[in-house]
């Protein structure tokens, strides 16, 4: 990681590192130990201007949008290979910067992401950008003398990408590779407190020799940097993953120039368990919402359990949660690591106090682990007898705090599940296949798992209502970074 730390006082603009205007402004801490990892430069609005100017020139005048699909694919393969060579460093960063336990740091935080980079590089080559249609909308081969319609997917332009703290490397790759694959140029702003992996990303782009201006990475930028990006008239698309509140602000800022938006926002997703469910299969899927200490927008944070099995399910989940090892993410024995920061820890503890005061039953957890003197830890905490009107049932806690709500029958289950401003993810558990799909098809959710967790990273991932706009992963991501252009021509 030492090579990464050498770049913390720089910004990657127009394809090269340059000294930052405001070095050593942002502190990055290890959330397990509270030790300082780095002091990182804070990007300025002036640096935003430089990066967007470079991206605009690269899109309007440079070779990237005009390359063949094969040429862009080859460049992205080089980019992915350079990331793969940094794999061990990226794993270390995931553990020390985000508090991801080792198994998660190696798998979902790193190896899956590198594989995704290669997959996007391949899609850059194979994704269909042109189709011929006749005026009934059906494909056909043009013949001499016919007027035909050609529909082209054109790159959408300059993309401003703003990413969250919980899966930073994954989100940075997900916000960079799809638009690059389509011929767009990108300015990336990672979250300030988890931006070390973005240094690896920029180094890999430099090693891959992407043309100048195709990718810039602004480290340590605060809200004013994100706002400058979202409102900038030279930006065509804003892609953001994070809270709904920030998403609303981006909508406001982008409205005057009518930008295209790809917003993956909050969730309070229901996990519906009927009395005839296979409970062993259900309980094997982390129903306590504890992966990455509950820090995931698509995690199933509201457990809706049918009354005949309600108490049994509550006790079995609580038993599992009580036995989990909470500790330093670098310890191979740790099952639940820290949350990202003291601010987030205190926010979660405030939600726990809210649940208590609103009358929910605290089944287990409820505070800081007594055996850990340092680190931003929260005990795995389970609330039962929760009413869907309670704050802990309506707001995104983003911590290891699932809530359990009883219901009677499919109609009530659907009503409670849909009684939310969010609609990102859901699961339905029952051995009655017809009931499962009848309920699942009524859920206002971008993804639904039937007797499993929905594989949101196979796409299309996104939400109904205030969970966002657009869809992500694979070909659905690629489409978001294109505009349709129609041609009529005489063959």
């Amino acid at each position: 990681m030492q090579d990464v730390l050498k770049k913390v006082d720089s910004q990657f603009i127009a394809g090269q590192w340059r000294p930052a205007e405001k070095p050593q402004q942002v502190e990055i801490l290890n959330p397990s130990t509270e030790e300082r990892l780095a002091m990182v430069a804070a990007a300025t609005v002036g640096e935003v201007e430089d990066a967007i100017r470079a991206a605009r020139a690269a899109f309007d005048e440079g070779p990237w949008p005009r390359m063949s699909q094969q040429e862009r694919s080859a460049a992205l393969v080089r980019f992915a290979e350079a990331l793969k060579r940094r794999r061990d460093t990226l794993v270390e960063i995931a553990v020390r910067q985000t508090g991801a336990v080792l198994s998660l740091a190696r798998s979902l935080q790193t190896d899956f992401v590198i594989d995704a980079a290669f997959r996007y590089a391949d899609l850059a080559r194979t994704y269909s950008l042109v189709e011929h249609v006749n005026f009934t909308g059906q494909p056909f081969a043009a013949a001499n003398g016919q007027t035909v319609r050609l529909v082209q997917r054109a790159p959408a332009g300059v993309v401003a990408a703003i990413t969250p703290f919980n899966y930073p490397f994954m989100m940075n790759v997900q916000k960079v590779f799809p638009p690059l694959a389509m011929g767009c140029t990108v300015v990336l702003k990672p979250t300030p407190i988890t931006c070390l992996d973005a240094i690896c990303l920029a180094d890999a782009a430099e090693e891959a020799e992407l043309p100048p201006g195709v990718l810039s990475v602004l480290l340590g930028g605060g809200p004013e940097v994100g706002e400058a990006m979202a409102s900038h008239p030279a930006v065509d698309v804003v892609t953001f993953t994070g809270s709904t509140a920030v998403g609303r602000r981006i909508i406001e800022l982008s409205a005057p120039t009518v930008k295209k938006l790809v917003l993956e926002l909050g969730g309070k997703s229901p996990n519906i368990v009927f009395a005839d469910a296979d409970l062993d299969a259900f309980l094997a899927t982390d129903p306590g919402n504890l992966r990455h200490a509950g820090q995931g927008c698509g995690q199933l944070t509201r457990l809706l359990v049918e009354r005949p099995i309600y108490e049994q399910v509550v006790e079995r989940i609580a038993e599992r949660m009580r036995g989990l090892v909470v500790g330093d993410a670098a310890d191979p024995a740790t099952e639940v690591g820290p949350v990202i920061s003291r601010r987030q820890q205190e926010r979660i503890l405030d939600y726990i106090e809210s649940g208590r005061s609103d009358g929910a039953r605290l089944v287990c957890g409820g505070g800081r682990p007594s055996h850990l003197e340092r680190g931003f830890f929260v005990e795995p905490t389970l609330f039962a007898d929760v009413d869907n009107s309670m704050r802990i049932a309506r707001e995104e806690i983003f911590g290891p705090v699932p809530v359990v709500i009883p219901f009677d029958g499919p109609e009530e289950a659907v009503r409670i599940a849909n009684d939310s401003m969010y609609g990102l993810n859901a699961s339905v558990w029952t051995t009655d296949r017809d009931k499962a799909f009848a309920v699942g098809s009524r859920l206002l959710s971008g993804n639904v798992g039937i007797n499993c967790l929905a594989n949101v990273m196979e796409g299309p991932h996104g939400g109904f209502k205030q969970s966002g706009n657009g869809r992500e992963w694979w070909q659905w991501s690629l489409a978001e970074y294109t505009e349709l252009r129609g041609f009529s021509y005489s063959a």
Side-chain angles (χ1 to χ4, degrees), residues 305-374:
V305 182
E306 202 165 19
R307 286 190 194 276
I309 60 168
Y310 180 77
E311 290 297 341
Q312 178 188 358
V313 169
V314 168
E315 185 48 44
R316 289 185 69 177
I317 293 173
E319 181 182 9
R320 163 70 175 146
M321 290 174 68
R322 292 185 190 107
L324 290 168
V325 177
V326 181
D328 191 326
D331 185 340
T334 295
E335 295 173 280
V336 179
V339 297
I340 191 62
S341 65
R342 187 171 304 284
R343 178 182 176 185
Q344 182 66 8
Q345 180 193 47
E346 291 173 351
R347 179 176 179 271
I348 294 165
L349 293 172
D350 179 67
Y351 274 110
I352 292 171
E353 185 55 38
S354 169
R356 284 189 173 114
S357 63
D358 286 346
R361 171 163 55 107
L362 182 64
V363 183
C364 66
R368 298 176 175 88
S370 59
H371 68 288
L372 295 168
E373 295 182 0
R374 296 181 66 79

Side-chain angles (χ1 to χ4, degrees), residues 270-274 302-306 403 405 407 413 416-417:
N271 202 356
I272 303 170
V273 187
F274 285 96
R302 285 186 298 154
L303 289 114
L304 279 56
V305 182
E306 202 165 19
V403 303
I405 303 169
F407 72 86
I416 294 172

Side-chain angles (χ1 to χ4, degrees), residues 2 19 32 96 105 132 151 277 289 322 369 390 392 395 401 404 441 446:
Q2 292 306 309
S32 291
R96 298 180 64 192
H132 287 81
V151 178
N289 183 49
R322 292 185 190 107
M390 293 178 181
I392 57 171
E395 297 181 17
V401 187
V404 192
S441 64

Side-chain angles (χ1 to χ4, degrees), residues 236-257:
D236 302 293
V237 183
V238 181
T239 179
F240 167 75
T241 293
S243 73
T244 295
V246 176
R248 292 190 197 107
R249 180 62 177 154
I250 288 172
I251 292 170
E252 292 174 4
L253 292 165
S254 65
T257 48

Side-chain angles (χ1 to χ4, degrees), residues 49-119:
E49 287 289 340
D50 292 346
I52 292 175
R53 188 182 306 113
R56 187 78 256 169
F59 185 78
D60 292 340
E61 304 162 14
W64 189 254
R66 283 155 282 280
M67 284 181 177
S68 70
Q69 288 182 257
Q70 290 75 16
E71 288 172 322
R72 277 202 300 271
S73 175
L76 292 179
V77 168
R78 295 195 304 271
F79 194 177
E81 287 172 341
L83 289 174
K84 187 175 182 178
R85 285 189 284 274
R86 291 162 172 78
R87 186 259 183 189
D88 291 345
T89 298
L90 287 161
V91 170
E92 181 184 359
I93 289 172
V95 172
R96 298 180 64 192
Q97 171 185 255
T98 70
V101 299
L102 273 169
S103 58
L104 184 68
R106 290 169 178 151
S107 58
L108 198 56
Q109 292 268 16
T110 304
D111 289 342
F112 168 81
V113 185
I114 292 170
D115 289 345
F118 280 104
R119 186 168 169 182

